[in-house]
Amino acid sequence: MGNNNHRLSGIKKWGFKKSPWVFHLSTGSCNNCDIEILDAVTPRFDLERFGILLVGTPRHADILLVTGVVTVQALPRLLHVYEQAAKPCMVVAIGACACSCGIFDGGYHVVGPVDKIIPVDVYIPGCPPKPEAIISGVVKALAKL
Amino acid sequence: MFAHGAMDFFYFIIFHGFAFTVVAGLLSTWVDRKVSARIQWRVGPPWYQPFADVIKLMGKESIIPEGANRVSFLIAPFLGFTAVILVSTIVWMANIFPGASFVGDLIVVIYLLYLPAIALIVAGSASRNPFGALGASREMNLMLAYEAALLFAVFTVVVKNGGIISLGGILGYQAVHGAMLLQGASCIIAFVVTLLCMPAKLGIVPFDIAEAETELIAGPYTEYSGVTLAIFKLTKAMLLFTLPIFMLTLFAKTVWTPWTILWYALILVFIILVKNVNPRFRIDQALRLFWLPVLGLSLLGIILAAVGL
Ligand code: SF4
């Protein structure tokens, strides 16, 4: 799928850059990437400095953090969540699985990677990526605005 | 109320009721987030963070979920918002021109302060989301819990000052007799009760039972996005400013001294500290807390006021 085109300007762009709320979605990861995301929002890294908040519903999300190969079961859920998110909404694929299916490539249950299903803005490789890598990926996503 | 002309009234709505209160409320929200961050040993967001949040939400898509009741879903945020604007207008007018306040505006303010909670209930029920519906029912329970105690606490002031039910009148009484808070044991008790009820009225921890993000995602806010969510955020922020100022008007003379800013800051920090050192109450625990000790306390206050203490 092609890339998203989020072109914002002026004050809208400023608001979006200063207050990206992230929603975390696992589409069949081994749970390791998810733990690293949770690490990234702990006081040690203090993402609230940049206005990043973890929200509980895709309706409030500006950035979807997707982890995991998309499994057969997760496919409709991923589509559903992506459609529910209020646009403009960026997608960040986190971990080798989400980027390229990683070690699960060719599995009977694998539909992914994520960019086969929904447009992805930033890929963060690693198995799992470090919290620093996740933060830098989100910053790159914002730089694309 | 229109002693200064209808133009002045609209000027008050737009300038004091809306613009000033929005800015002050968003800054208070920032103080809340910053102090919480410092308590958790973090740096915390920059001062413009709440403004950036609202601006961003204004620029986003507002979705009406399929199957939701469109009219109530869209009206709910504005219901609470208008109510808070009116409350802050009335409170500001009473503070700046005590003569402009009308008999019974205390009661109007109390009724208008119900509306943000009712707006949440409408929002949760209209959004056709199980989390929203659960949040709405919890909000309803919570309202039943704290409103009685809060009402008795406010009426302690009325009993104490001999039946004055206009804010301007109460301010005038305090100008002659000194701050209400210093009038005796009953008023101190009433003030403590309002302090206990304030987190529940504002919907922040330990009484954020309705939007408990760990259990209910975002409660009644779950389906809201974009502009409608921004209006809810603004309502909450304005309430965080208006409600303590209303209480200070009742208990501590007037709004326009440097002391009052200190008072307001103290109340804000008290709320933030309570928020940061307490876990969330279960709804039945909150009901028990408000119906037994707190309501008992506020009844004691009104009885003491009636016998003149
Ligand atoms: S990338 Fe590695 S750590 Fe992340 S979900 Fe896949 S296998 Fe697990």
Side-chain angles (χ1 to χ4, degrees), chain A residues 11-12 14-16 18-19 21 43 46 48-51 53 56-57 59-62 84-89, chain B residues 33 40 42-46 48-49 52-53 55-57 59-61 63 65 217-218 221-225 229 233:
Chain A
I11 192 156
K12 255 183 168 181
W14 178 81
F16 203 97
K18 292 295 175 193
S19 144
W21 292 354
D46 187 20
E48 209 186 354
R49 276 179 300 161
F50 312 117
L53 284 185
T57 150
R59 297 268 194 235
H60 302 182
D62 305 306
Q84 277 183 333
K87 307 290 174 304
C89 178
Chain B
R33 286 172 71 170
Q40 295 165 7
R42 296 188 280 129
V43 177
Y48 52 75
Q49 191 57 55
D53 287 352
I55 289 169
K56 175 207 69 182
L57 286 174
K60 287 201 60 151
E61 184 189 15
I63 304 170
I217 304 211
Y221 304 123
T222 308
E223 291 288 346
Y224 280 89
S225 58
L229 185 63
K233 294 270 170 209

Side-chain angles (χ1 to χ4, degrees), chain B residues 5-144:
Chain B
M7 275 312 288
D8 273 12
F9 184 66
F10 286 111
Y11 166 80
F12 258 93
I13 285 195
I14 300 212
F15 188 72
H16 290 88
F18 176 69
F20 184 80
T21 313
V22 162
V23 173
L26 288 177
L27 284 178
S28 316
T29 316
W30 169 73
V31 172
D32 173 12
R33 286 172 71 170
K34 182 80 179 177
V35 173
S36 305
R38 294 307 297 158
I39 291 173
Q40 295 165 7
W41 220 252
R42 296 188 280 129
V43 177
W47 67 269
Y48 52 75
Q49 191 57 55
F51 297 88
D53 287 352
V54 169
I55 289 169
K56 175 207 69 182
L57 286 174
M58 289 287 182
K60 287 201 60 151
E61 184 189 15
S62 312
I63 304 170
I64 302 173
E66 199 182 304
N69 185 330
R70 295 176 68 95
V71 178
S72 350
F73 186 83
L74 288 178
I75 281 183
F78 293 96
L79 186 69
F81 190 55
T82 5
V84 180
I85 291 180
L86 279 179
V87 169
S88 67
T89 310
I90 293 175
V91 172
W92 277 115
M93 268 192 106
N95 275 295
I96 296 172
F97 299 121
S101 101
F102 53 96
V103 175
D105 58 358
L106 179 63
I107 296 173
V108 174
V109 165
I110 290 172
Y111 271 107
L112 284 175
L113 281 176
Y114 289 150
L115 281 182
I118 290 174
L120 265 194
I121 295 170
V122 173
S125 331
S127 59
R128 190 174 172 264
N129 181 306
F131 295 111
L134 261 179
S137 95
R138 286 185 180 193
E139 178 71 33
M140 220 179 294
N141 277 321
L142 190 63
M143 236 180 118
L144 290 179

Side-chain angles (χ1 to χ4, degrees), chain B residues 171-187:
Chain B
L171 284 171
Y173 179 89
Q174 296 185 80
V176 178
H177 296 87
M180 216 64 218
L181 197 53
L182 308 174
Q183 305 278 313
S186 57
C187 287

Side-chain angles (χ1 to χ4, degrees), chain B residues 166-245:
Chain B
S166 80
L167 286 173
I170 290 175
L171 284 171
Y173 179 89
Q174 296 185 80
V176 178
H177 296 87
M180 216 64 218
L181 197 53
L182 308 174
Q183 305 278 313
S186 57
C187 287
I188 295 178
I189 290 178
F191 188 66
V192 170
V193 170
T194 53
L195 275 186
L196 288 173
C197 292
M198 223 179 281
K201 191 107 190 159
L202 296 169
I204 51 186
V205 191
F207 302 110
D208 65 332
I209 304 171
E211 55 172 305
E213 80 274 6
T214 41
E215 316 154 20
L216 291 188
I217 304 211
Y221 304 123
T222 308
E223 291 288 346
Y224 280 89
S225 58
V227 179
T228 45
L229 185 63
I231 298 288
F232 268 127
K233 294 270 170 209
L234 283 179
T235 311
K236 260 192 110 166
M238 289 167 75
L239 210 54
L240 183 61
F241 180 72
T242 309
L243 199 59
I245 291 292

